[in-house]
Amino acid sequence: MFEIPPDHPRAESLKIREKLIEGFEKGLVAKAGLIAHGRGEAFDYLIGEETTKPAMEAAKAAAAAMLLAKHPVISVNGNVASLVPKEIVELSEVTRAKIEVNLFYRTREREEAIKNALEEAGAKEILGVGEAASATIPELSSWRRKVDPRGILIADVVLVPLEDGDRTEALRKMNKTVIAIDLNPLSRTAQWANITIVDNVIRAIPNITEQAKKLKNLSSDKLKEILKNFDNRKNLGKMIEIIKDRLAKLAKEGIYIPEASQVYKEMRKIE
Ligand code: ATP
Ligand code: MG
């Protein structure tokens, strides 16, 4: 792995990139997955690279929905398997959710590579690999619609970290409760999901687990109450407002990086 200097100002973000590159080299991540990550990074920059209050509220609603579900399923792609394999396994254990490999760019090799990575992280059962993905989601074309009849097909709640808009829409039309994790509050996925966590999967998955541990012993009435009080439209609106306010503040302050700001002021004095 490429050595990242610990004092690099963007060390954390670079470490995440290295994990994805490693995942790409091991055959888990598709080329398009690398590009999708870049889009996510850009929104993370705007959000401030931390979990916001609305994102934590959405994670709490997600935990409640998963605990209430009869058949909760976590859909995993190459990016997710590279970035948070252990965290996915822990979440599945806490919420009794099944794990299903579900890919936009399906190849048998990639499915197997993802399955292996998850098993190495401690997963006992992985759905959706090879012939197991024998059922189809209506409305989607060819290989993009394959799902496992023991998993997503019969699921009532599906967690889709990093899903494509089309497929999120199709899952909604199959009457499933869709929980999405997407850094872009404007994406079709973010807009179609029942619960959208606008946060990086790196932070969002452990947040849902933490919330699920806290909520685990509540009655189903209490959990339903949490869901009833959650409004995804409003939550997305709050996220857009956070970005707007943050940008307005940064624009007013002139420049983002404090040291650069100092240099800039000195330069103005000389002029
Ligand atoms: P949509 O199809 O939903 O309209 P899109 O076509 O713009 O979205 P896709 O390439 O289909 O985007 O999906 C990638 C999505 O995943 C992007 O919206 C991006 O913001 C998000 N994303 C990428 N990496 C992460 C990450 N680490 N955490 C959270 N979200 C991420
Ligand atoms: Mg898309």
Side-chain angles (χ1 to χ4, degrees), residues 160-212:
V160 286
L162 318 189
E163 184 53 284
D164 175 57
D166 266 25
R167 299 205 306 180
T168 309
E169 180 182 346
L171 290 173
R172 277 302 303 273
K173 289 186 173 159
M174 288 171 80
N175 272 328
K176 301 190 187 296
T177 297
V178 179
I179 305 166
I181 302 173
D182 193 331
L183 278 159
N184 176 5
L186 306 172
S187 76
R188 287 170 310 138
T189 298
Q191 303 282 324
W192 266 107
N194 300 76
I195 300 171
T196 309
I197 306 169
V198 182
D199 203 358
N200 200 314
V201 284
I202 299 256
R203 300 184 295 267
I205 297 285
N207 284 345
I208 308 172
T209 305
E210 181 197 316
Q211 293 292 341

Side-chain angles (χ1 to χ4, degrees), residues 66 71-74 88-89 91-99:
M66 289 179 83
H71 296 289
V73 174
I74 307 172
I88 289 286
V89 174
L91 176 62
S92 80
E93 282 165 1
V94 175
T95 59
R96 337 140 276 133
K98 299 212 154 151
I99 302 175

Side-chain angles (χ1 to χ4, degrees), residues 5-57:
D7 60 342
H8 190 288
R10 305 205 49 72
E12 219 22 67
S13 166
L14 290 178
K15 265 191 239 159
I16 301 175
R17 271 194 193 177
E18 280 305 312
K19 274 195 190 174
L20 269 183
I21 292 170
E22 211 183 310
F24 177 75
E25 281 163 358
K26 282 200 220 151
L28 279 78
V29 174
K31 277 185 198 156
L34 297 175
I35 299 171
H37 182 74
R39 182 174 296 159
E41 277 182 341
F43 280 97
D44 212 6
Y45 221 119
L46 298 180
I47 288 161
E49 295 175 306
E50 59 187 17
T51 297
T52 60
K53 200 163 163 267
M56 195 51 110
E57 280 162 13

